[in-house]
Amino acid sequence: MRHFKTLSEFHEFAQLPKPQHPLLSVVDVGAVPHRAEAEPTPMLLDFYAISVKRMRNVSMKYGQQPFDFNEGILSFMAPSQVFSMAVANKAEAVEKSGWVVYIHPDFLWNTSLARTIKQYDFWDYSLSEGLFLSAREEATITNIILAIEQECSGTIDRFSKQIIISQVEGLLNYADRFYHRQFITREKANHQVLERLETLLHQYFASPNLAERGLPTVQYVAECLNLSPKYLSNILRLTTGQNTQQHIHAQLIAKAKEKLSTTTLTVSEIAYELGFEHLPSFSKLFKTKTNQSPVEFRASFT
């Protein structure tokens, strides 16, 4: 794995000119010489990357998931996230266009963005959950990136940093707006995710070895659905008003009610079968969700 701690190191590896600013650079994707590695080269960056680009005949992976950049997409990578890329077919030409903004965290020091940048959910999204843009939205984002590039390439003065910070904040705010638009306009896809989640949880809690497996985690559920935990929870909040953990608890309580009302198992046995190591944890969760203890709920059926 190649680990790039500075923009200069990354520019040198990518055969790019030295960045005009040591902590921030704007790269024209179409001008980047493409390296001809047959196998993807894992890379880890110590800086933020904001990209809107198209690439054809490029094999790219984010973590362990393949990703297709054939269509224009806006994506975000926080420091310490791993990605890789290589030529997909050496017999075909590589086509790429678009822009990438690289920002070292040190550039944000002592600015408002240093406090707020991590509040944007999309830093925790997978690359495959990037934002598809309309032509108008893409033009908006591209214009901001070009304004940042112009400011970086001009004469640096005492106003430069704050102007760039304001432009980056504008870019992030537009991206936040466009992501929420994507959640709303992809209603059918969102409901399909919900259906897959409900099926997954139903099968999980019906498993005969649930006691050994334990309760499903948000991370586990998200991985099964090929989504990042943050992206999945955002979809669910918009669709149902509940996050992933709340959906897990809902299925759990439904299964608990079924066992309490239709079996003669003790509450302790039910708690164990549902993956709880300790009875008090089960009883506390059940009462929080139903306003009744498991014993009180069972008594209502006698």
Side-chain angles (χ1 to χ4, degrees):
M1 180 185 297
R2 292 182 178 271
H3 183 183
F4 300 99
K5 298 182 179 180
T6 68
L7 290 176
S8 295
E9 291 174 344
F10 182 68
H11 273 238
E12 183 178 355
F13 170 79
Q15 301 175 18
L16 294 167
K18 185 178 179 179
Q20 293 176 306
H21 193 291
L23 300 177
L24 185 143
S25 67
V26 179
V27 174
D28 180 351
V29 176
V32 178
H34 198 83
R35 305 176 66 90
E37 286 96 338
E39 296 296 329
T41 301
M43 289 179 276
L44 185 150
L45 310 180
D46 279 359
F47 30 90
Y48 294 95
I50 304 169
S51 64
V52 54
K53 58 188 176 183
R54 293 179 177 83
M55 295 193 295
R56 295 186 183 276
N57 194 31
V58 175
S59 172
M60 186 162 186
K61 284 188 176 182
Y62 177 91
Q64 298 300 318
Q65 297 296 322
F67 185 69
D68 184 1
F69 255 120
N70 284 346
E71 301 299 329
I73 194 168
L74 179 64
S75 59
F76 301 83
M77 289 183 61
S80 301
Q81 293 179 323
V82 179
F83 72 101
S84 61
M85 64 176 62
V87 175
N89 186 344
K90 286 189 174 182
E92 298 181 8
V94 171
E95 300 177 15
K96 53 188 185 296
S97 62
W99 298 88
V100 184
V101 180
Y102 296 106
I103 308 170
H104 196 283
D106 287 353
F107 182 77
L108 308 178
W109 180 253
N110 203 29
T111 71
S112 58
L113 196 52
R115 298 187 299 274
T116 61
I117 191 167
K118 293 183 179 180
Q119 295 176 7
Y120 294 94
D121 288 342
F122 42 68
W123 296 116
D124 293 324
Y125 293 170
S126 295
L127 193 62
S128 56
E129 297 155 351
L131 175 60
F132 291 90
L133 301 171
S134 69
R136 182 175 180 178
E137 291 169 346
E138 185 171 347
T140 297
I141 295 296
T142 300
N143 286 338
I144 295 175
I145 292 175
L146 292 177
I148 295 172
E149 193 275 336
Q150 182 178 10
E151 191 65 34
C152 289
S153 61
T155 302
I156 301 297
D157 57 31
R158 67 189 184 91
F159 297 100
S160 300
K161 182 174 181 177
Q162 188 53 52
I163 289 174
I164 293 172
I165 289 294
S166 296
Q167 291 166 333
V168 173
E169 285 180 323
L171 193 160
L172 297 177
N173 286 330
Y174 271 112
D176 208 20
R177 167 191 278 183
F178 297 158
Y179 259 114
H180 281 82
R181 180 271 306 156
Q182 178 165 292
F183 288 138
I184 293 170
T185 57
R186 298 182 65 192
E187 183 177 359
K188 180 179 179 181
N190 294 347
H191 280 280
Q192 289 173 339
V193 169
L194 176 60
E195 290 174 4
R196 289 167 57 207
L197 171 68
E198 296 294 338
T199 299
L200 171 66
L201 292 177
H202 176 76
Q203 292 174 346
Y204 191 99
F205 283 111
S207 171
N209 60 341
L210 177 59
E212 290 74 27
R213 297 176 71 183
L215 297 175
T217 64
V218 172
Q219 182 69 38
Y220 169 83
V221 170
E223 287 178 357
C224 289
L225 298 177
N226 293 320
L227 297 170
S228 67
K230 184 73 76 171
Y231 193 83
L232 174 58
S233 282
N234 282 350
I235 287 177
L236 294 174
R237 281 196 195 95
L238 182 70
T239 308
T240 68
Q242 296 183 318
N243 61 26
T244 310
Q245 188 66 66
Q246 289 171 313
H247 278 270
I248 293 173
H249 285 166
Q251 284 270 9
L252 170 66
I253 296 302
K255 192 67 176 179
K257 286 181 175 180
E258 175 189 320
K259 289 180 177 291
L260 286 166
S261 59
T262 63
T263 75
T264 58
L265 294 171
T266 67
V267 175
S268 294
E269 289 171 334
I270 291 173
Y272 176 75
E273 285 197 357
L274 292 175
F276 284 86
E277 294 183 6
H278 306 290
L279 174 59
S281 298
F282 169 66
S283 297
K284 181 179 180 181
L285 177 63
F286 191 92
K287 188 160 188 176
T288 298
K289 297 298 182 180
T290 67
N291 292 321
Q292 289 180 299
S293 69
V295 173
E296 290 170 338
F297 177 81
R298 170 169 275 174
S300 68
F301 286 87
T302 60

